[in-house]
Amino acid sequence: MTAPQRRAQLADRVQRLEAAAFTLGADVSEVRAAVEQLPAAIRQEILEYTEPVFGEIMAGRATLATKQDLEAFEQRLVDLVENRMGALDAKVDQILAALPAGGTA
């Protein structure tokens, strides 16, 4: 290979490397820009998700449960379970009373 051919080959290789470096530099800058935008994108997603909920709360149409609300709810559940169990106990007593010889078949 002659000197002019080597120079041409080297020039071609340098040109290809420069093109690759330029492309890589553009890709890196795009990645860097995307990473820099990530916190803002996350913040925006959070706001879009929570803003309607907070709007409802502030408008008084939705409220967070207080301790008293939870205690009242618990008491309603206890009352419902006790009423249900009482009704079942009464039904079992009724069935046992209907059986001959004190509940044995």
Side-chain angles (χ1 to χ4, degrees):
M1 186 179 293
T2 64
Q5 288 174 328
R6 284 188 189 146
R7 277 193 296 259
Q9 186 182 22
L10 285 173
D12 182 52
R13 288 179 66 192
V14 167
Q15 188 176 18
R16 284 186 288 160
L17 284 171
E18 286 174 342
F22 179 76
T23 302
L24 182 61
D27 291 345
V28 170
S29 67
E30 288 174 9
V31 169
R32 182 176 293 142
V35 168
E36 289 172 355
Q37 292 173 2
L38 190 58
I42 292 170
R43 187 178 309 111
Q44 185 63 33
E45 287 290 324
I46 291 170
L47 288 175
E48 287 176 8
Y49 178 76
T50 58
E51 187 176 26
V53 175
F54 287 131
E56 291 293 311
I57 291 169
M58 297 306 287
R61 290 187 291 271
T63 58
L64 298 175
T66 64
K67 183 178 179 182
Q68 291 80 13
D69 293 334
L70 294 175
E71 288 172 350
F73 179 69
E74 180 183 21
Q75 187 58 50
R76 284 195 307 272
L77 286 177
V78 167
D79 292 343
L80 286 171
V81 169
E82 286 178 352
N83 288 341
R84 181 70 177 155
M85 294 307 290
L88 288 174
D89 284 342
K91 187 62 110 175
V92 168
D93 289 343
Q94 213 176 24
I95 292 170
L96 289 176
L99 291 175
T104 59

